[in-house]
Amino acid sequence: MSEKSSIKPVLGQSAQALNYELPDERIAKYPLAERDASKLLVWKNGHMEDATFHTIADFLPESSLLVFNNTKVIRARLPFQKKTGAQIEIFCLDPAHPADYQLAFQQTSRCSWNCMVGNLKKWKQEPLERLVEVNGKAITLVAEKLSQSREHVLVEFSWNDASVDFASLIEASGILPIPPYLHRDTEASDLERYQTIYSKIKGSVAAPTAGLHFTNSVFASLKKKNISCAEVTLHVGAGTFKPVKAVTIADHEMHAEQFVVSRQLIEQLLLKEGKLIAVGTTSIRTLESLYWLGISILKNANQLPGKLHIEQWAPYETTDQQPAKVVLEALISYMDRHWLPVLIASTQIIIVPGYQFRIVDGMITNFHQPQSTLLLLISAYVGNDWQRIYRHALDNNYRFLSYGDSNLYLK
């Protein structure tokens, strides 16, 4: 049976197939005092066991390779006030000009971003201004609306001091976005706790929350068991919170996100001896997209760097069954031909039941929202057992969503 035909029954399903009742009191509004004190539900081939996250090394196969998403959440919510007193909030989603995250943050006079805008009806065409203090200097930050579409508003930011870059401006003036389902304002504690301890590369508007449980103590326990660690970068977009509201799963439009993978990581994947465990759905999405990027390059080696993209249904529209080793070697050859130290691409893939995982052997993740594409991904790995897993968690006082407890899934 082809992969495409194996997912047809799933695509015809209503999003209600992903639904479960999540009482508000089971959503963790705040993190625990200690990151690694959260509960850990271990699922292995249908067997479930309750544990605590600081013991996770005990459940991981020796010589495993854990892959983390090292993205860092930015202070993406920028509040402005019109002269009339109306409050306008500009939520930066992803850079447009320049489109590269690092280049956008390095700009010293202007840059434009695709944004969501709160109270958009009150913002006509006039520029918005606000004073921002950066290193003791008063900087005037200006926001101008360039265009508007159904998905976002294109906003150009400009400022009057070339000694200050955009990264410094939003760090000084922006608000860290926390998930909307927390139903509270961002607090000082979120500035630390809504980041992983290994976050490095700025660009996300939501944290890769599976990684929030890791501590230096946990990393030390991994090292004792000869478990290696590696990193990828995928900047998490606001689309991660978008529920599946389409009539059927097939009608859901998946959001696109940029990912960055180093040559060293690909070499680690080729040389690994044990299981590959992805930390978080964003790492899963990156690693599996890497496989399909390699398939695309094997089909068309003339694709240009900077234009690499994986379409939503690409994994289900090909009959190619290349071994992961062949695909990874093709990626390294492509990087060598183009003198690339890293691969930068965007992915729109959606992982649904019937999907065959090409790179990932197991996963660490949190408990996800009803009717979410993240829950769809989990069900692709554990099948309908996700319902039993989530019922067990609800019956045993697990905490849900971003600041909640954790899962380890293994086969």
Side-chain angles (χ1 to χ4, degrees), residues 64-320:
S64 294
L65 173 62
L66 264 60
V67 179
F68 299 80
N69 183 4
N70 64 13
T71 188
K72 188 168 189 174
V73 185
I74 62 172
R75 300 190 185 190
R77 293 168 51 198
L78 300 174
F80 287 81
Q81 182 173 318
K82 291 180 60 175
K83 293 177 181 178
T84 61
Q87 302 291 326
I88 309 291
E89 183 178 273
I90 302 175
F91 191 153
C92 296
L93 298 176
D94 54 79
H97 304 291
D100 180 86
Y101 280 86
Q102 287 189 326
L103 289 178
F105 288 127
Q106 291 168 3
Q107 295 305 298
T108 55
S109 61
R110 65 182 63 242
C111 59
S112 59
W113 284 66
N114 297 314
C115 304
M116 292 191 298
V117 178
N119 212 8
L120 179 60
K121 290 182 180 179
K122 294 288 182 71
W123 187 16
K124 306 305 179 186
Q125 289 303 124
E126 73 280 15
L128 302 176
E129 293 187 6
R130 62 169 293 188
L131 285 177
V132 181
E133 185 174 321
V134 181
N135 299 324
K137 298 179 180 179
I139 312 295
T140 300
L141 176 63
V142 179
E144 295 185 69
K145 183 168 56 174
L146 299 183
S147 63
Q148 184 176 333
S149 69
R150 184 172 60 87
E151 290 82 15
H152 53 70
V153 179
L154 181 61
V155 177
E156 182 179 73
F157 298 100
S158 59
W159 53 101
N160 60 349
D161 191 326
S163 69
V164 175
D165 59 24
F166 189 66
S168 300
L169 274 171
I170 64 169
E171 186 70 19
S173 63
I175 299 169
L176 189 84
I178 58 175
Y181 48 68
L182 295 184
H183 300 300
R184 64 174 177 85
D185 293 333
T186 301
E187 299 180 15
S189 61
D190 296 310
L191 300 181
E192 176 194 358
R193 295 303 302 274
Y194 197 58
Q195 303 278 13
T196 63
I197 67 169
Y198 50 83
S199 63
K200 298 181 182 71
I201 312 299
K202 294 179 180 179
S204 282
V205 300
T209 55
L212 296 179
H213 307 278
F214 282 84
T215 61
N216 290 328
S217 175
V218 171
F219 279 116
S221 68
L222 297 177
K223 190 173 182 180
K224 286 181 182 177
K225 199 168 178 181
N226 195 32
I227 294 171
S228 303
C229 299
E231 295 179 354
V232 296
T233 304
L234 181 140
H235 294 310
V236 189
T240 192
F241 300 117
K242 183 181 177 183
V244 181
K245 288 186 175 180
V247 176
T248 65
I249 292 169
D251 296 323
H252 179 78
E253 183 179 355
M254 194 68 177
H255 58 287
E257 291 168 320
Q258 185 188 85
F259 67 88
V260 182
V261 175
S262 67
R263 190 183 199 280
Q264 180 184 4
L265 182 276
I266 299 174
E267 289 172 344
Q268 282 180 278
L269 297 180
L270 279 167
L271 296 173
K272 75 176 180 68
E273 296 178 356
K275 299 282 188 180
L276 188 144
I277 313 297
V279 179
T281 55
T282 57
S283 297
I284 297 166
R285 200 166 181 228
T286 301
L287 292 165
E288 292 299 312
S289 294
L290 193 62
Y291 176 90
W292 296 107
L293 181 61
I295 289 291
S296 176
I297 286 171
L298 282 170
K299 288 181 178 178
N300 178 10
N302 296 321
Q303 294 180 68
L304 295 175
K307 303 290 185 181
L308 301 174
H309 176 71
I310 310 301
E311 296 287 350
Q312 175 167 336
W313 299 110
Y316 312 101
E317 294 172 346
T318 178
T319 56
D320 285 352

